[in-house]
């Protein structure tokens, strides 16, 4: 199990000018690898005339080496993606993506200069991003009688449950998302409210 960590609240943007090259950094939260790649592509489209779109992400807990990714996007090997990733890893954040867009100004920075430029660009964005603790979520499906719906809705509010789907047939079938740490307590409370007349179906694994 991962140690507690923080995630970005929302996207931030920063920029700096180094020897006539402009470095624009977007730092933002992501939910998984696919989401990260989608955001990278959106930023490529947002800055189509930029020379480089270098990036790195941690699409999970910061200590999970299976969820890392980075790219130099045409810069010399090791001068962009790795320095960006190093800044993210040093921050202790999870579920985070940094994309640094470079508009070349005509002056070469050299290997060391590029490493410093990309690293400092991300450090600048990290200094202004707002974060909050990451809370692992889980999905849970359940079926219970209509007579328990009122009490169930009260429990949804109490346990910060978000309804994803709900179907009314002969009984009430609901799929919800809630903090994983509250799952068992919520299930016990709903079982009591339904006098044992509830069926649960749990996911194979929690989110995060």
């Amino acid at each position: 199990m991962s140690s507690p960590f923080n995630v970005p609240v929302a996207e931030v943007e920063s920029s700096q000018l180094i020897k006539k090259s402009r470095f624009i950094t977007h730092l933002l939260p992501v939910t998984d690898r696919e989401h990260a790649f989608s955001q990278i592509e959106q930023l490529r489209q947002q800055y189509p005339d930029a020379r480089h779109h270098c990036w790195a992400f941690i699409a999970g807990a910061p200590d999970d080496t299976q969820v890392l990714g980075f790219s130099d996007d045409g810069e010399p090997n090791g001068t962009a993606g790795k320095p960006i990733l190093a800044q993210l890893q040093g921050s202790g954040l999870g579920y985070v993506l940094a994309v640094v867009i470079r508009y070349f100004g005509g002056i070469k920075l050299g290997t060391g200069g590029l490493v410093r430029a990309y690293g400092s660009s991300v450090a600048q964005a990290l200094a202004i991003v707002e974060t909050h603790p990451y809370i692992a979520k889980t999905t849970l499906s359940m079926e219970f009688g209509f007579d328990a719906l009122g009490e169930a809705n009260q429990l949804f509010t109490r346990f910060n449950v978000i309804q994803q789907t709900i179907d009314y047939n002969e009984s009430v079938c609901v799929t919800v998302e809630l903090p994983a740490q509250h799952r068992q307590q919520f299930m016990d409370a709903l079982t009591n409210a339904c006098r044992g007349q509830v069926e649960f179906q749990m996911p194979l694994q929690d989110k995060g």
Side-chain angles (χ1 to χ4, degrees), residues 15 20 46 49 79 100 112 160:
S15 66
K20 297 186 178 181
Q46 185 175 338
D49 54 341
T79 61
V100 183
N160 297 318

Side-chain angles (χ1 to χ4, degrees), residues 6-13 27-29 93-96 124-134:
N6 284 4
V7 295
V9 172
E11 181 175 356
V12 296
E13 177 184 340
L27 187 77
L28 59 155
L93 296 179
Y95 293 97
V96 59
Q124 188 179 65
L126 286 167
I128 62 174
V129 69
E130 183 181 354
T131 66
H132 61 184
Y134 174 73

Side-chain angles (χ1 to χ4, degrees), residues 140-144 156 163 165-167 172-176:
L140 184 65
S141 297
M142 66 208 74
E143 182 177 354
F144 52 82
F156 291 165
Q163 290 188 30
T165 63
I166 183 166
D167 293 313
V172 182
C173 299
V174 190
T175 298
V176 302

Side-chain angles (χ1 to χ4, degrees), residues 8 10 55 76 96 99 141 194 197:
W55 51 264
V96 59
V99 181
S141 297
C194 296
Q197 301 302 306

Side-chain angles (χ1 to χ4, degrees), residues 41-192:
E41 183 57 32
Q42 286 188 30
L43 287 167
R44 286 186 185 279
Q45 295 177 14
Q46 185 175 338
Y47 300 94
D49 54 341
R51 176 74 67 90
H52 304 283
H53 305 78
C54 305
W55 51 264
F57 61 72
I58 302 174
D63 58 359
D64 186 351
T65 58
Q66 301 301 310
V67 295
L68 308 179
F70 60 89
S71 170
D72 295 314
D73 192 37
E75 293 283 29
N77 186 40
T79 61
K82 286 185 177 180
I84 295 172
L85 180 61
Q87 288 291 329
L88 296 182
Q89 291 178 311
S91 73
L93 296 179
Y95 293 97
V96 59
L97 163 68
V99 181
V100 183
I101 296 96
R102 182 189 181 191
Y103 284 91
F104 183 56
I107 300 175
K108 293 185 177 181
L109 302 183
T111 300
L114 287 171
V115 170
R116 289 189 293 273
Y118 280 100
S120 64
S121 293
V122 178
Q124 188 179 65
L126 286 167
I128 62 174
V129 69
E130 183 181 354
T131 66
H132 61 184
Y134 174 73
I135 300 175
K137 299 293 182 65
T138 186
T139 55
L140 184 65
S141 297
M142 66 208 74
E143 182 177 354
F144 52 82
F146 284 95
D147 57 341
L149 184 57
E151 290 182 85
N153 283 330
Q154 292 179 17
L155 291 174
F156 291 165
T157 300
R158 174 182 164 191
F159 287 96
N160 297 318
V161 170
I162 299 174
Q163 290 188 30
Q164 295 182 324
T165 63
I166 183 166
D167 293 313
Y168 300 103
N169 295 306
E170 295 181 359
S171 57
V172 182
C173 299
V174 190
T175 298
V176 302
E177 182 179 81
L178 73 160
Q181 63 187 12
H182 295 158
R183 180 175 62 193
Q184 191 59 53
Q185 189 179 1
F186 168 77
M187 291 172 63
D188 292 343
L190 186 60
T191 298
N192 289 335

Side-chain angles (χ1 to χ4, degrees), residues 2-24:
S2 299
S3 300
F5 60 92
N6 284 4
V7 295
V9 172
E11 181 175 356
V12 296
E13 177 184 340
S14 63
S15 66
Q16 61 176 339
L17 191 65
I18 301 176
K19 293 185 178 180
K20 297 186 178 181
S21 282
R22 180 162 296 280
F23 294 83
I24 304 170

